Structures are given as C-alpha cells and as structure tokens.
Amino acid sequence: MKHKEWLDRLLSILYPPRCVCCGAVLSTGERLCETCSERIARIEAPVCLLCGQSLQDCSRKHPKTAYKEITAPFYYEDAIREGIHRFKFRDRPQYAAYFAQEMAASIRANLPGVAFDQITCVPMRTAKEKERGYNQSALLAQELSKLLEIPVHCHLLRKCADTPAQHELKGAERRGNVFGVFEVAKPELTQGKTILLCDDVKTTGATLDECAKMLKLAGAQEVYCACIAVTRKNKSVETVSYTHLTLPTIA
C-alpha cells in the first residue's frame, strides 16, 4: 500500500466523514445522511429568478432590487438550516465545498447564459471575521471560483460599520440596518463588469440589495446573486412574467 493511501485510510478512521447537516458519521461517499436527505427542501424548477423561489411559492410581489436575478439550491428550512448553522457558528469551514457544489449546479441550471467576469461576496467586519475564524460567504465564493472557473475577489466590498446581526431583526428593520454600511474597496475592478455576489442565506434580500447597489454605483454593469438557501414566503401564487423564469427542459 502506498504511503498516501495508508495516510488517507488512517485519516478516514480518525476523522470519518460526517453529514453536513446533522454531523452523523457516514459510511458512504455521500455528504448527507439518509435522514437529512429526506429533510431538505430543494427549490424545484420552474424558478422565479427575482426571488429565487420555485414558481409555486412565488407571490410575484417583488420590490425593485439592484441585483438582477438570484438563484439558490435550497429553502432555508429543516436539515439545510441546521447545516448552515453548523457551517457558520460551529467551526465547520470545510462544509463550504458541499454547499458551493450545490450552488454551482443551481447557477448552471438557472443562469446558463450569463458570462460572469468575477465573483465576490458579502463582507464581514474584520473583528467579527477574526472572532469566527472565517467569512463563510468568502469560502463559498472561493469554492465557486474553482468550480465555475471565474476569478474571485473576496475583498471587493468592505463593511464599514458594525450592525446587529440581520437574523436578530424583523423584516422591516433589516433594510435600515444595512443602509450605508458597505463600500466598494476596489472600484477599478467593477467597471463594466458582470459580477456574481455570494452569500449564505437570503431572507428579505436587504443585505444583497445594498451590496449590489454599491457595486452598481461603482460601475458594475450587472450584479447577480447566489446563495445556499432562501427563505420561503408562503403567499398565494399569481401569474409571473416569464422573462424571469427558468423552465424545465422538455426531452
């Protein structure tokens, strides 16, 4: 047995693969255990790219945003919500690889005609990033850069003020909480560019919208967004403009 094969086997015994969502030890090459696989809510086509939800969950009542379209593979519910919490708050930076793979599949399916010039991410304050040890959105952007073969600039945006965490606020408070707190650190990199902006979760979209607004003000041509998950809005379904939908391929 070669040294590397022996080392890989030893590491697999000492650090067995675990489910991204619940942490259960896995015996196969999958990233989710059977129980969590049944507890994830995928966003199925056709998709409304204004809100990122499946058409059946879309209400069509979308505020105007600085970003053009958004896509995500999951709803922020059940097992995926637990997995994102582990990724962000329980020191699991390695989970970025799995989530980015799912995000990349969503981007390929829902934004196939977009030629991105670069990828960036929602920034954190330096002190908070040092406390956590990483910016989870930057890790996602870096993984997506490898998968999609697009240049990444994680420090294109800068957060210039401390604010309460968005998840601690009500919907109406979130937009005011992020107003004016982001700036473009390298405006020369945005001129005429089509940018993919990454974050972990979209709830109201206020953070993504504010970041996209600053990128557009700095000269970006278009900004698109990608997240691991979006919050499902349970509203009545209305007719949606087909210019913002991704329809399933008919064989």
Side-chain angles (χ1 to χ4, degrees), residues 19-24 32-33 35-36 39 79 82-83 86 90 95:
C19 174
V20 170
C21 292
C22 72
L32 299 177
C33 69
T35 300
C36 287
R39 294 178 54 237
E82 295 166 15
R86 290 171 61 82
R90 296 186 63 183
Y95 288 1

Side-chain angles (χ1 to χ4, degrees), residues 29-30 64-65 69 73 96-97 105 108 122 125 141 166 178 185 199 222 229 248:
E30 301 296 327
K64 184 176 178 58
T65 58
E69 294 175 337
R108 293 188 185 107
V122 172
R125 284 288 282 171
Q166 287 287 82
V178 295
D199 202 6
E222 296 289 357

Side-chain angles (χ1 to χ4, degrees), residues 53-119:
Q53 300 179 95
S54 294
L55 176 57
Q56 63 183 356
D57 297 312
C58 173
S59 69
R60 193 174 176 241
K61 298 177 181 178
H62 305 305
K64 184 176 178 58
T65 58
Y67 59 84
K68 187 171 183 178
E69 294 175 337
I70 183 169
T71 186
F74 303 111
Y75 283 115
Y76 187 52
E77 299 169 1
D78 299 328
I80 288 298
R81 178 170 178 163
E82 295 166 15
I84 292 174
H85 279 216
R86 290 171 61 82
F87 173 41
K88 292 175 64 174
F89 305 121
R90 296 186 63 183
D91 194 25
R92 299 293 190 276
Q94 66 272 27
Y95 288 1
Y98 167 74
F99 288 130
Q101 287 174 4
E102 295 288 348
M103 290 169 67
S106 177
I107 292 164
R108 293 188 185 107
N110 296 326
L111 303 173
V114 182
F116 296 108
D117 294 303
Q118 59 185 274
I119 302 174

Side-chain angles (χ1 to χ4, degrees), residues 63-219:
K64 184 176 178 58
T65 58
Y67 59 84
K68 187 171 183 178
E69 294 175 337
I70 183 169
T71 186
F74 303 111
Y75 283 115
Y76 187 52
E77 299 169 1
D78 299 328
I80 288 298
R81 178 170 178 163
E82 295 166 15
I84 292 174
H85 279 216
R86 290 171 61 82
F87 173 41
K88 292 175 64 174
F89 305 121
R90 296 186 63 183
D91 194 25
R92 299 293 190 276
Q94 66 272 27
Y95 288 1
Y98 167 74
F99 288 130
Q101 287 174 4
E102 295 288 348
M103 290 169 67
S106 177
I107 292 164
R108 293 188 185 107
N110 296 326
L111 303 173
V114 182
F116 296 108
D117 294 303
Q118 59 185 274
I119 302 174
T120 192
C121 63
V122 172
M124 296 172 64
R125 284 288 282 171
T126 302
K128 187 174 181 180
E129 185 173 343
K130 286 183 178 179
E131 179 183 354
R132 182 172 295 175
Y134 53 91
N135 175 355
Q136 70 280 352
S137 298
L139 296 182
L140 293 171
Q142 290 162 359
E143 292 292 335
L144 282 173
S145 175
K146 299 178 205 173
L147 293 167
L148 300 176
E149 298 182 338
I150 301 169
V152 61
H153 298 286
C154 288
H155 299 291
L156 186 59
L157 285 160
R158 178 167 54 217
K159 191 173 184 182
C160 49
D162 286 318
T163 58
Q166 287 287 82
H167 67 266
E168 298 175 353
L169 303 175
K170 296 179 180 179
E173 300 173 316
R174 296 189 180 199
R175 189 164 297 278
N177 187 52
V178 295
F179 180 76
V181 304
F182 300 108
E183 61 184 13
V184 177
K186 299 179 179 181
E188 67 276 10
L189 297 179
T190 67
Q191 297 295 321
K193 304 297 185 181
T194 297
I195 299 174
L196 179 64
L197 174 64
C198 298
D199 202 6
D200 50 2
V201 179
K202 176 230 173 195
T203 49
T204 64
T207 299
L208 290 167
D209 185 41
E210 187 68 16
C211 287
K213 180 179 73 175
M214 299 311 296
L215 291 169
K216 294 288 290 288
L217 288 173

